[in-house]
Amino acid sequence: MAIQTVATTPIPGQRPGTSGLRKKVTVFQQPSYLENFIQSVFDTLGDTSGKTLVLGGDGRFHNRDAIQIILKMAAANGFARVLLGQGGILSTPATSCVIRKHGAFGGIILSASHNPGGPDGDFGVKYNSSNGGPAPEQLTEAIYERSQSISRYRISDALDIYIDSLGTEHIEDMAVEIIDPVADYAELMSRLFDFEAIRKLFAGGFTMRFDGMHAVSGPYAKTILEDMLGAPHGTVINAVPLEDFGGHHPDPNPVNASELVALMAADHAPDFGAASDGDADRNMILGREFDVTPSDSLAVLAEHARVAPGYAAGLKGIARSMPTSRAADRVAEALGIQCYETPTGWKYFGTLLDAGRATLCGEESYGTGSDHIREKDGVWAVLFWLNLQAATGKSVEEIVTAHWARFGRHYYSRHDYEGIDADAAKLLMQDLRIKLPNLPGNTMNHYTIAAADDFEYTDPVDGSHASQQGVRIMMTDGSRIVYRLSGTGTEGATLRVYLERYEADVSQQHIPTQQALASLIALADSMASIVMHTGRTNPSVIT
């Protein structure tokens, strides 16, 4: 074995987005593409000698090849130890857990999250810092700047190592400890939730289906739900991670998890349904013929947090992304705690969690989590809902409708226009920003606009600032329209339109969501001239 220094040249376009660098698999397979980016990460981190790195991914296509490259580069750059999930498997929440438990310098997660996999699908690389959370924007920007001037990378010429058995391998002077990907995470969950109460729930005949979507959450759900909590065999479906996710889109929403949705609407449906995404950081919660929006899920868990042992002392605060509905704000007010509104991206919650200002966090994009790690956490959310049902003896629908009766219902939907022309999307947002000063006071479709702005955020802990985080149109009755371009896709642009309407009248809280939002949807479409700019008459996905 010997360490090689390989000459290279910068490759354009290696700026990480809100969740790392995501591109098509074929892009990552280009000569030096992955090597350039990983060396840029290591160069930006500085002296890594003697440090521990955590490494793993969601099992998608190219995961195993990328792991071998990164291991050899880590050895060449001085790392003393790598903790690698067996078979290259390590969910995003578990990576955060392992970093924090073992005091690692940081971690590299190989995932494109909820994006499709396979040879023609997507791939991604994300660096997480020593607190277990996504690298802050100043670090990702520094990585990008380094990628634009890189002239060489370092890599060992060692042979590939075997990664499918627990134990220790060596590359140069670096130890590669191949660890059980589930063990540390499962132990943490057993301390946060009342496992005995959940065992009794299942023993009493409670039924559930968890859809692993052939992604990385399957092994975690099988071990915890079936092996540790006694759920019947077969509770977890699509449990084996596949490189192409079985040809499906591993995004847990009613469109992509249609098999589970149909099951929960059938005769003799299970009591509870749940799903998680590609890297296990998102969740979908279902009752019998009843789906829970991510915004409502955050609010309900905050309302009932004390039922779980890990949160029995109460919450320090709540944080939500700006597009997420304001349901959690009402709970925070009732609890006498702060609710922080941040830009989209879990990295914005990190400083609040580290500073002890927030306990629960959530995003409308099916992400919920807490201060137990520094990522959103799909399996954690499912266990929280199980604990809640075990503690109250109520169904998902009963819990949510009681929440609406107390706090009011926030009708909420997101309309996604995927793969639109990037220039057209930018022009749409520019035109909206030009209109903003003149919108307040106008009445349109029976809505009077109270305020309109382009969301900006100053972190209350470190003072960092983020601008142009989404155009907000706020109505006098509390309704909102939010427009935002997503940073998680790999082709074209995705325009997301978020729609929210508050309803306090219990008798009006059971209208179908799209019907309840119909006039707001029409206003959102016309105000942004979506058809003119995109050529689309309907969204690609409605959630």
Side-chain angles (χ1 to χ4, degrees):
M1 291 187 292
I3 294 174
Q4 309 291 317
T5 299
V6 181
T8 189
T9 56
I11 299 174
Q14 292 196 330
R15 173 177 268 126
T18 56
S19 296
L21 180 67
R22 293 184 187 174
K23 302 289 182 182
K24 288 294 183 183
V25 169
T26 51
V27 173
F28 272 99
Q29 289 175 323
Q30 294 173 10
S32 300
Y33 192 90
L34 177 63
E35 290 88 342
N36 272 24
F37 185 72
I38 295 299
Q39 189 63 58
S40 298
V41 172
F42 291 160
D43 287 350
T44 304
L45 294 176
D47 183 11
T48 58
S49 59
K51 306 293 186 182
T52 296
L53 181 73
V54 177
L55 177 62
D58 61 13
R60 68 177 58 231
F61 187 85
H62 199 52
N63 191 67
R64 296 174 72 92
D65 290 341
I67 281 171
Q68 297 291 347
I69 292 171
I70 294 169
L71 286 173
K72 294 169 190 177
M73 293 187 69
N77 281 273
F79 280 96
R81 181 172 69 146
V82 171
L83 300 178
L84 174 68
Q86 184 180 11
I89 293 293
L90 202 61
S91 75
T92 291
T95 301
S96 184
C97 169
V98 171
I99 290 171
R100 293 170 64 81
K101 179 175 181 177
H102 295 275
F105 186 64
I108 293 176
I109 300 171
L110 304 177
S111 174
S113 188
H114 56 292
N115 292 10
D120 298 319
D122 297 343
F123 192 75
V125 180
K126 182 173 77 166
Y127 180 76
N128 277 32
S129 301
S130 59
N131 72 342
E137 191 167 357
Q138 56 265 39
L139 179 56
T140 58
E141 191 61 22
I143 292 169
Y144 170 68
E145 292 298 329
R146 177 57 183 156
S147 77
Q148 298 307 289
S149 61
I150 190 170
S151 61
R152 56 96 186 108
Y153 62 83
R154 291 169 59 80
I155 189 168
S156 170
D157 65 359
L159 297 175
D160 289 355
I161 64 170
Y162 187 67
I163 64 174
D164 292 320
S165 295
L166 301 179
T168 302
E169 302 280 346
H170 288 86
I171 300 176
E172 304 293 345
D173 295 327
M174 184 184 77
V176 181
E177 295 182 22
I178 301 168
I179 63 172
D180 182 330
V182 179
D184 286 336
Y185 177 84
E187 187 274 331
L188 176 58
M189 294 301 105
S190 72
R191 290 190 280 112
L192 294 175
F193 301 111
D194 188 345
F195 271 26
E196 186 57 35
I198 300 173
R199 287 189 193 99
K200 290 179 180 178
L201 184 70
F202 282 121
F206 183 88
T207 56
M208 136 178 222
R209 288 294 181 275
F210 180 100
D211 189 350
M213 305 190 83
H214 286 304
V216 79
S217 67
Y220 295 85
K222 287 282 285 187
T223 296
I224 296 172
L225 296 177
E226 296 185 7
D227 297 345
M228 297 175 68
L229 294 173
H233 179 74
T235 292
V236 182
I237 60 175
N238 300 321
V240 178
L242 300 176
E243 290 190 334
D244 66 348
F245 306 116
H248 299 295
H249 192 161
D251 189 359
N253 61 50
V255 175
N256 295 313
S258 57
E259 175 186 358
L260 179 64
V261 172
L263 176 65
M264 294 304 298
D267 293 338
H268 310 295
D271 297 299
F272 180 46
S276 190
D277 70 327
D279 64 335
D281 66 351
R282 300 184 184 214
N283 72 91
M284 181 173 71
I285 302 297
L286 300 169
R288 287 178 173 166
E289 293 190 271
F290 190 89
D291 62 290
V292 182
T293 69
S295 298
D296 278 350
S297 182
L298 173 64
V300 168
L301 295 183
E303 179 189 5
H304 298 282
R306 289 180 182 270
V307 304
Y311 307 94
L315 305 179
K316 301 168 187 172
I318 305 171
R320 63 165 177 83
S321 64
M322 180 273 288
T324 301
S325 93
R326 291 180 282 192
D329 301 45
R330 295 180 182 276
V331 176
E333 183 179 3
L335 295 175
I337 58 177
Q338 181 74 31
C339 186
Y340 297 91
E341 184 178 40
T342 76
T344 295
W346 206 260
K347 60 189 177 185
Y348 292 105
F349 296 142
T351 56
L352 298 171
L353 295 170
D354 287 344
R357 295 198 180 196
T359 305
L360 296 189
C361 303
E363 295 183 326
E364 51 70 36
S365 54
Y366 293 86
T368 326
S370 84
D371 58 358
H372 68 292
I373 57 173
R374 295 299 182 267
E375 289 279 5
K376 49 186 177 282
D377 192 345
V379 175
W380 169 90
V382 174
L383 291 170
F384 213 142
W385 272 94
L386 281 169
N387 199 151
L388 177 51
Q389 290 170 88
T392 63
K394 295 180 179 179
S395 70
V396 169
E397 183 174 2
E398 288 171 336
I399 291 168
V400 175
T401 54
H403 174 86
W404 292 344
R406 179 183 177 188
F407 293 100
R409 180 177 182 181
H410 290 254
Y411 283 104
Y412 187 87
S413 185
R414 189 180 89 188
H415 289 200
D416 289 357
Y417 297 80
E418 298 177 337
I420 61 178
D421 180 77
D423 290 335
K426 290 177 183 177
L427 182 59
L428 181 151
M429 294 299 292
Q430 289 172 3
D431 286 352
L432 272 173
R433 291 184 177 109
I434 292 170
K435 295 176 183 177
L436 290 177
N438 298 318
L439 288 177
N442 283 287
T443 298
M444 306 175 184
N445 280 25
H446 308 294
Y447 288 100
T448 300
I449 299 173
D453 65 12
D454 196 353
F455 182 60
E456 297 187 10
Y457 177 71
T458 299
D459 190 297
V461 177
D462 66 12
S464 60
H465 186 76
S467 59
Q468 294 195 340
Q469 295 298 308
V471 169
R472 303 186 298 179
I473 313 296
M474 293 159 282
M475 314 302 174
T476 54
D477 69 349
S479 298
R480 287 195 309 165
I481 302 170
V482 175
Y483 303 88
R484 179 178 160 271
L485 298 183
S486 171
T488 60
T490 61
E491 288 186 307
T494 295
L495 171 67
R496 302 199 196 282
V497 182
Y498 309 85
L499 306 133
E500 177 181 4
R501 174 195 149 198
Y502 178 69
E503 181 55 70
D505 185 346
V506 174
S507 69
Q508 298 297 311
Q509 290 178 352
H510 299 276
I511 303 170
T513 298
Q514 299 307 309
Q515 179 181 331
L517 294 171
S519 61
L520 200 63
I521 293 168
L523 176 57
D525 291 350
S526 63
M527 188 178 298
S529 302
I530 291 176
V531 175
M532 182 187 77
H533 283 291
T534 70
R536 306 284 183 87
T537 55
N538 292 295
S540 310
V541 178
I542 296 176
T543 53

